[in-house]
Amino acid sequence: RFFADWSLRNKTMVHLLVVAWIGAAVFGFIEIRREFFPEISFDSIRIITVLPGATPEDVERLVTDPIEDAVVDLSGLDHVESFSTEGRSEIVVLVDPDAATVAEVLRDVERAVDLVQELPDEAEEPQVLENKFEAPVLVAAILTTGGGDLPWETRKRLADRLEDRFRAVPGVSSVVVAGLPNREIHVE
């Protein structure tokens, strides 16, 4: 009863409280949206090189250091970090967001890595890859009822039909069909 009487006497204050409450709700909605759908930027490039059977120290000295020396002074880089493990070198190059596009830096890094001459003969060709984040927007499943299992041909036909329909949607970059077993033919 006290709050009702106070509200009737202080209408302006009640209106201000309601506006503040609505403002807090809008702000909260915006922040929650950021938590569920964060903006993720992976402006980075990975250089992966395999040297079979080598110790981490050998990988560092024979593979990681020469490649890192070749790319560290390129323009458009923000930071270079390397990891040498048994038989594997990985160098992560962070692209400076103000300097260049990832595609330009990727080309420069590929050229620099191609010029590295002092890698051991046993080392595999370095792979220069752009880090891309691809999360599925939609996952569809084909389920059966009644405990029965559909024949392989039926599942394949349904999967192909769904795949074609998803590919026809504008803006769909890729469709992946998974979980369909490989067809096997048994001869007796």
Side-chain angles (χ1 to χ4, degrees), residues 15-75:
H15 288 127
L16 287 173
L17 288 172
V18 168
V19 168
W21 181 73
I22 291 172
V26 169
F27 178 76
F29 177 75
I30 291 170
E31 289 301 309
I32 287 174
R33 184 170 176 81
R34 281 189 193 152
E35 287 295 318
F36 284 127
F37 306 106
E39 294 177 17
I40 300 173
S41 174
F42 288 113
D43 289 341
S44 63
I45 298 165
R46 289 184 304 143
I47 307 164
I48 300 170
T49 312
V50 175
L51 182 59
T55 65
E57 293 79 16
D58 288 343
V59 170
E60 176 89 22
R61 183 174 45 82
L62 299 171
V63 177
T64 305
D65 288 344
I67 295 175
E68 194 171 2
D69 291 343
V71 300
V72 74
D73 292 326
L74 293 175
S75 63

Side-chain angles (χ1 to χ4, degrees), residues 117-137:
Q117 299 294 321
E118 55 274 4
L119 294 180
D121 294 336
E122 304 83 31
E124 294 180 9
E125 188 72 25
Q127 296 179 333
V128 181
L129 309 164
E130 178 183 350
N131 281 339
K132 293 184 179 180
F133 179 71
E134 295 182 9
V137 175

Side-chain angles (χ1 to χ4, degrees), residues 65-178:
D65 288 344
I67 295 175
E68 194 171 2
D69 291 343
V71 300
V72 74
D73 292 326
L74 293 175
S75 63
L77 305 185
D78 187 31
H79 181 70
V80 177
E81 192 170 302
S82 63
F83 308 93
S84 297
T85 59
E86 189 169 325
R88 179 184 164 108
S89 164
E90 182 167 346
I91 301 169
V92 178
V93 177
L94 299 179
V95 178
D96 184 354
D98 298 328
T101 65
V102 176
E104 292 170 347
V105 176
L106 181 64
R107 277 193 304 273
D108 292 345
V109 168
E110 286 173 339
R111 281 190 216 117
V113 170
D114 287 342
L115 294 175
V116 175
Q117 299 294 321
E118 55 274 4
L119 294 180
D121 294 336
E122 304 83 31
E124 294 180 9
E125 188 72 25
Q127 296 179 333
V128 181
L129 309 164
E130 178 183 350
N131 281 339
K132 293 184 179 180
F133 179 71
E134 295 182 9
V137 175
L138 175 68
V139 177
I142 300 173
L143 304 173
T144 61
T145 59
D149 197 13
L150 290 175
W152 184 89
E153 293 83 6
T154 305
R155 288 185 283 165
K156 175 72 172 142
R157 192 173 49 253
L158 287 170
D160 288 345
R161 191 177 310 154
L162 274 176
E163 181 180 14
D164 292 342
R165 291 181 77 177
F166 285 131
R167 286 190 191 280
V169 175
V172 172
S173 63
S174 69
V175 177
V176 177
V177 175

